[in-house]
Amino acid sequence: MSNHLSDTELVDYAHHALPDALRETIDGHLTACPHCQAALTSHQAMQHRIQHNLQADLEAVHSSPQMTFAAIAPRLKRSRQVTQGEQSRRFFSSAAMLATLAALVVVLAAVFGAIGYPSGGAGPAVIPQPPSVAMGAVLTASIAVADNEQLHLMDYDLSAAQLTPGAILTITLYWQTQRNLMGDYDVFIHLLDATGRLMASQDASPAEGTRPTRGWQIGEPITDSHTLLLPNTLRAGDYRLSVGLYDPSSGARLGNGILLDRSITIVP
Amino acid sequence: MCDISALIQQWQTGDERAGEALYSHYREPIFRLAYGLLGDAADAEEVAQDTLTYALNRIDQYDAARSSFSTWLHTITVSRCRDRQRRRRLPWQSLTAWLQQGGDVRDPAPNPEARAIQLETQSQVWHAIQALSPPLREAILLRYWADHTFQEIAIITGCPVSTAQSRVRLAFQQLRAAIAPTALADFGEEQVR
């Protein structure tokens, strides 16, 4: 018999990975072809053997006695769910922060506007400012990820703004979309030194992969935490924390690239 | 038999014992999945603790309408394992490279020392799985050990269902070639119907 099933078809058949129509066609072929039936039996035997051995290997390993609920209990008590009260406090403290920042900006603008700089003189060096990140329920940084797709980084929390080498930095991002997103995008967190050199990074899909962007509902607040392990070799000083989104299928950053850029101080 | 939904609800209302019961129920399975993915017990234990801590702290983010609780936990586990591999740069090499360097996973012929052979074969299967690329290892573990559907594997690993299917197929084909390279000699490869 010359027209036998391909290995791919047989393997997919054995794994129940074929659509019903193709499966029925193959059922018909198998009934009439002892050669392919024997090949399938061989695949199934191998499949069973791998599965059996893998299960036996994993059932034979056990976690250590140190792996207990008591060991994680302190971490649970510190970071249990955000209660409604905590959310309110976060909102109002953020709103207060925003008001303070706004007032500061107004005062500085008034002062610099009144004083002015001598034309041609040595005014203060113009330092490119990172996108401002307001706090609270205000659209802060937005990104056009594709035609008619707009993502907003509403707010963020940092576990600390001053850390030691080897510490774990946790950053929680609060996202919202105003359009249904057609792509699944990943978040990158970069820690850069003063020269822009990448010192640590973490790439991950939002919320540990549990909330891919394609599934975000319009207006739904998305809480997305990431951890960044700081290298032990990090020197004390000021660093920059950059956050953005990219398309994992192409590696291309979305929008202008950076949605959040702020300083982090590393202390000895 | 544990009523997981009830435990989740009780934990959400602050019942510490429910949290402990959930932890106890999933501790070993999560540890074993992480161990299968990472191949290192200490790393697997850390990942399992992180996974369970994260899950219990973010239990409000679990949506029973979207997936089962174990699927959600496995999603977190896989994500944490990927992070761990990136951070530690855990070495892995292709099965081909491993075989070229003298690795041998051939199945010994049956003989009276069946138990010894079985133990050796298990070790061979294990080493062959550990030599798979991480995406293939994820797929085969989720399918063969955790018994997930392709749809669930797609959710857990963040890929299309068709990719999940092809990863399981490729993993199987690589394992089969490594464990019993002559097993298909009689059948030939990729014959066209």
Side-chain angles (χ1 to χ4, degrees):
Chain A
M1 189 165 181
S2 58
N3 296 327
H4 293 304
L5 297 170
S6 71
D7 185 58
T8 297
E9 286 171 321
L10 283 167
V11 172
D12 282 353
Y13 182 92
H15 284 101
H16 303 281
L18 295 175
D20 288 346
L22 185 53
R23 190 168 182 83
E24 283 175 17
T25 306
I26 289 179
D27 279 337
H29 178 87
L30 286 169
T31 324
C33 181
H35 182 281
C36 289
Q37 181 61 57
L40 177 66
T41 303
S42 169
H43 288 334
Q44 288 169 331
M46 178 60 75
Q47 187 182 342
H48 176 75
R49 178 177 158 199
I50 293 171
Q51 190 162 18
H52 173 79
N53 289 345
L54 174 61
Q55 286 176 347
D57 283 338
L58 283 174
E59 292 300 322
V61 295
H62 299 277
S63 58
S64 75
Q66 284 76 40
M67 189 176 158
T68 60
F69 182 74
I72 67 164
R75 288 156 72 189
L76 296 178
K77 285 171 185 167
R78 275 204 306 273
S79 56
R80 276 296 293 278
Q81 312 169 47
V82 178
T83 63
Q84 197 149 4
E86 285 170 327
Q87 282 177 340
S88 301
R89 278 198 299 281
R90 176 187 289 157
F91 172 79
F92 286 116
S93 70
S94 298
M97 174 76 78
L98 180 64
T100 307
L101 284 172
L104 189 60
V105 167
V106 169
V107 168
L108 286 174
V111 168
F112 285 119
I115 296 172
Y117 292 107
S119 60
V126 176
I127 301 170
Q129 293 300 306
S132 64
V133 179
M135 312 283 280
V138 175
L139 296 186
T140 57
S142 302
I143 193 164
V145 296
D147 287 346
N148 297 324
E149 289 186 8
Q150 194 87 10
L151 269 179
H152 303 293
L153 178 62
M154 305 290 289
D155 196 358
Y156 70 96
D157 285 332
L158 282 182
S159 54
Q162 204 173 64
L163 293 140
T164 55
I168 292 176
L169 171 67
T170 301
I171 178 167
T172 303
L173 307 168
Y174 301 95
W175 300 97
Q176 198 172 73
T177 181
Q178 293 186 331
R179 301 272 185 183
N180 287 319
L181 301 170
M182 301 307 289
D184 283 329
Y185 308 116
D186 283 0
V187 178
F188 66 85
I189 316 281
H190 287 173
L191 185 73
L192 307 163
D193 70 6
T195 66
R197 194 158 52 115
L198 184 65
M199 306 306 291
S201 70
Q202 203 250 18
D203 295 6
S205 55
E208 303 275 0
T210 59
R211 296 306 312 270
T213 54
R214 199 192 298 256
W216 292 5
Q217 303 300 309
I218 294 171
E220 178 191 13
I222 303 290
T223 303
D224 170 29
S225 289
H226 299 264
T227 52
L228 188 66
L229 180 64
L230 305 183
N232 287 318
T233 53
L234 222 50
R235 292 182 179 173
D238 290 332
Y239 293 78
R240 300 221 60 85
L241 188 71
S242 296
V243 177
L245 288 160
Y246 69 97
D247 183 347
S249 63
S250 65
R253 290 186 181 183
L254 305 180
N256 295 326
I258 306 293
L259 268 171
L260 168 63
D261 183 5
R262 60 153 294 156
S263 64
I264 292 286
T265 302
I266 302 299
V267 295
Chain B
M1 188 71 182
C2 268
D3 183 344
I4 299 301
S5 302
L7 287 176
I8 291 170
Q9 282 181 352
Q10 289 161 16
W11 171 243
Q12 282 175 324
T13 60
D15 183 346
E16 193 83 358
R17 288 171 305 176
E20 187 161 7
L22 283 169
Y23 176 91
S24 300
H25 187 78
Y26 287 104
R27 180 185 60 189
E28 290 300 319
I30 295 301
F31 165 74
R32 285 170 181 156
L33 176 60
Y35 181 66
L37 291 170
L38 297 169
D40 180 276
D43 280 338
E45 202 161 294
E46 263 186 63
V47 162
Q49 290 288 68
D50 284 349
T51 296
L52 291 164
T53 303
Y54 180 91
L56 290 172
N57 280 333
R58 307 299 174 96
I59 198 82
D60 54 317
Q61 290 185 8
Y62 167 62
D63 181 357
R66 296 171 72 96
S67 71
S68 71
F69 192 61
S70 65
T71 296
W72 187 61
L73 285 178
H74 289 175
T75 306
I76 300 168
T77 309
V78 166
S79 174
R80 294 272 169 176
C81 286
R82 288 175 178 175
D83 286 348
R84 180 54 57 110
Q85 283 165 329
R86 273 195 289 263
R87 285 174 189 165
R88 299 258 171 108
R89 298 280 189 269
L90 282 181
W92 69 271
Q93 57 186 150
S94 75
L95 206 49
T96 309
W98 184 57
L99 291 168
Q100 283 171 349
Q101 289 171 14
D104 186 5
V105 290
R106 286 170 186 268
D107 194 7
N111 63 48
E113 298 172 344
R115 178 62 183 156
I117 290 171
Q118 188 185 10
L119 285 173
E120 189 179 350
T121 306
Q122 283 174 348
S123 176
Q124 289 165 349
V125 169
W126 177 255
H127 286 300
I129 287 173
Q130 292 303 307
L132 292 172
S133 68
L136 299 191
R137 198 183 317 142
E138 285 173 5
I140 205 77
L141 278 162
L142 291 170
R143 181 69 177 173
Y144 278 36
W145 180 73
D147 210 22
H148 281 295
T149 65
F150 290 110
Q151 179 71 39
E152 289 168 341
I153 296 172
I155 291 170
I156 291 168
T157 59
C159 70
V161 174
S162 57
T163 304
Q165 289 173 337
S166 63
R167 283 178 182 171
V168 169
R169 183 201 315 127
L170 281 171
F172 172 79
Q173 287 172 327
Q174 290 188 20
L175 290 174
R176 180 186 62 188
I179 293 163
T182 58
L184 290 178
D186 295 339
F187 303 112
E189 287 285 320
E190 297 296 334
Q191 297 177 79
V192 180
R193 183 162 35 118

